């Protein structure tokens, strides 16, 4: 089966611009998660979807971040406007249940 | 609040030796799960092994085993007969019923297997 797919794999944008990251979970996985790793820090949970509903968005840093999962399939994470501190690797993961999340390869975002 | 501590930023190990990667955790929830992930240089996060807080036996998956010591809040990963391909970052993580839905990660251990 295809794994979790994220694109782009890399993105370099200027401060103040908008970037949209996309995640395609494994087919049939209702649970979809977004995480972020800022350089030198731990990987941090951002939010969790069950199908198209946001179950937990306690990790979202601020209102410049907007995640959507229309139709319960793929998800997007938009950063608008991007700031320098948003640079990092954004991971998406999916799972059919509470355990064993499968991660994508991540999107490396650089804000300059 | 949940916390994962990995005290070994980096390790060098000779090929074919066994490796123990340390992980301690902190949570007030009685129900939780512990996970280990491997991140090779290519960047993807690979799920290795899972241990539930109520599991009586230590989890094993091929060459990976989890040394779960509940009283000490310790969940060390043991890799038997290490191989060059085991060189990677290793992350310990946990999830509990009363916490956020996502995983709480440690800072990771960079393992390098030497021939």
């Amino acid at each position: 089966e295809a794994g979790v797919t994220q694109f782009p794999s890399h993105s370099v944008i200027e401060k103040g611009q908008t970037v949209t990251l996309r995640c395609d979970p494994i087919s049939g996985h209702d649970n979809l998660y977004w995480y972020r790793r800022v350089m030198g820090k731990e990987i941090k949970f951002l939010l969790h979807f069950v199908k198209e509903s946001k179950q937990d968005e306690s990790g979202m840093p601020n209102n410049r971040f907007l995640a959507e999962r229309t139709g319960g399939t793929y998800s997007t994470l938009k950063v608008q406007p991007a700031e320098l501190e948003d640079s990092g690797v954004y991971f998406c993961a999916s799972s059919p249940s509470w355990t064993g999340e499968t991660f994508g390869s991540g999107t490396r975002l650089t804000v300059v | 609040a949940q916390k994962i501590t990995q005290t070994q930023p980096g390790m060098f190990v000779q090929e074919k030796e066994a490796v123990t990667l340390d992980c301690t955790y902190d949570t007030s929830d009685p129900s939780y799960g512990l996970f280990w992930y491997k991140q090779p240089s290519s960047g993807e996060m690979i799920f290795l092994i899972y241990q539930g807080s109520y599991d009586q036996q230590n989890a094993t998956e091929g060459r990976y085993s989890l040394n779960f010591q509940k009283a000490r809040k310790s969940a060390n990963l043991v890799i038997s007969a290490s191989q060059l391909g085991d060189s990677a970052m290793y992350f310990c993580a946990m999830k509990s019923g009363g916490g956020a839905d996502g995983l709480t990660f440690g800072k990771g251990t960079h393992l390098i297997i030497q021939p």
Side-chain angles (χ1 to χ4, degrees):
Chain A
E1 73 181 353
V4 177
T5 305
Q6 292 186 247
F7 51 95
S9 56
H10 294 82
S11 180
V12 181
I13 62 171
E14 292 184 351
K15 177 182 171 182
Q17 288 186 322
T18 297
V19 63
T20 300
L21 313 181
R22 173 167 169 148
C23 170
D24 285 74
I26 292 173
S27 178
H29 282 192
D30 288 342
N31 296 280
L32 187 149
Y33 305 82
W34 283 98
Y35 293 84
R36 175 174 77 169
R37 187 180 190 197
V38 172
M39 185 167 307
K41 306 267 185 166
E42 297 92 332
I43 301 167
K44 294 286 191 185
F45 164 75
L46 296 179
L47 87 158
H48 169 217
F49 284 99
V50 176
K51 296 185 180 177
E52 67 274 11
S53 299
K54 291 177 186 174
Q55 287 294 112
D56 181 352
E57 49 185 333
S58 60
M60 294 288 264
N62 52 61
N63 59 10
R64 295 185 294 103
F65 289 75
L66 175 64
E68 294 180 322
R69 192 182 182 195
T70 307
T73 54
Y74 73 91
S75 175
T76 58
L77 179 64
K78 180 190 288 188
V79 185
Q80 178 182 30
E83 298 290 342
L84 298 178
E85 64 264 25
D86 300 333
S87 296
V89 181
Y90 289 77
F91 289 101
C92 175
S94 73
S95 71
S97 64
W98 190 74
T99 63
E101 295 170 32
T102 301
F103 279 73
S105 296
T107 294
R108 183 174 294 278
L109 174 65
T110 303
V111 183
V112 297
Chain B
Q2 300 170 107
K3 185 176 173 64
I4 293 284
T5 302
Q6 293 181 255
T7 57
Q8 305 152 310
M11 285 183 74
F12 288 88
V13 173
Q14 289 296 120
E15 188 180 9
K16 298 181 185 176
E17 289 184 350
V19 181
T20 296
L21 304 181
D22 295 341
C23 173
T24 56
Y25 61 91
D26 190 22
T27 180
S28 55
D29 278 302
S31 176
Y32 52 88
L34 296 156
F35 304 76
W36 277 93
Y37 283 85
K38 171 184 178 182
Q39 186 183 39
S41 56
S42 51
E44 74 269 31
M45 296 278 285
I46 302 167
F47 167 71
L48 295 178
I49 196 165
Y50 164 79
Q51 178 87 41
S53 58
Y54 295 118
D55 293 343
Q56 295 296 313
Q57 293 187 317
N58 287 344
T60 60
E61 289 287 347
R63 293 187 300 113
Y64 304 108
S65 61
L66 199 151
N67 184 2
F68 181 45
Q69 297 188 41
K70 196 170 183 176
R72 301 176 67 177
K73 293 191 173 180
S74 152
N76 297 342
L77 177 71
V78 180
I79 306 174
S80 63
S82 59
Q83 302 171 356
L84 296 178
D86 294 332
S87 294
M89 283 291 291
Y90 288 81
F91 293 97
C92 181
M94 75 177 297
K95 186 185 287 196
S96 69
D101 287 1
L103 293 161
T104 298
F105 283 87
K107 290 188 175 182
T109 295
H110 189 191
L111 175 65
I112 297 174
I113 306 298
Q114 297 176 313

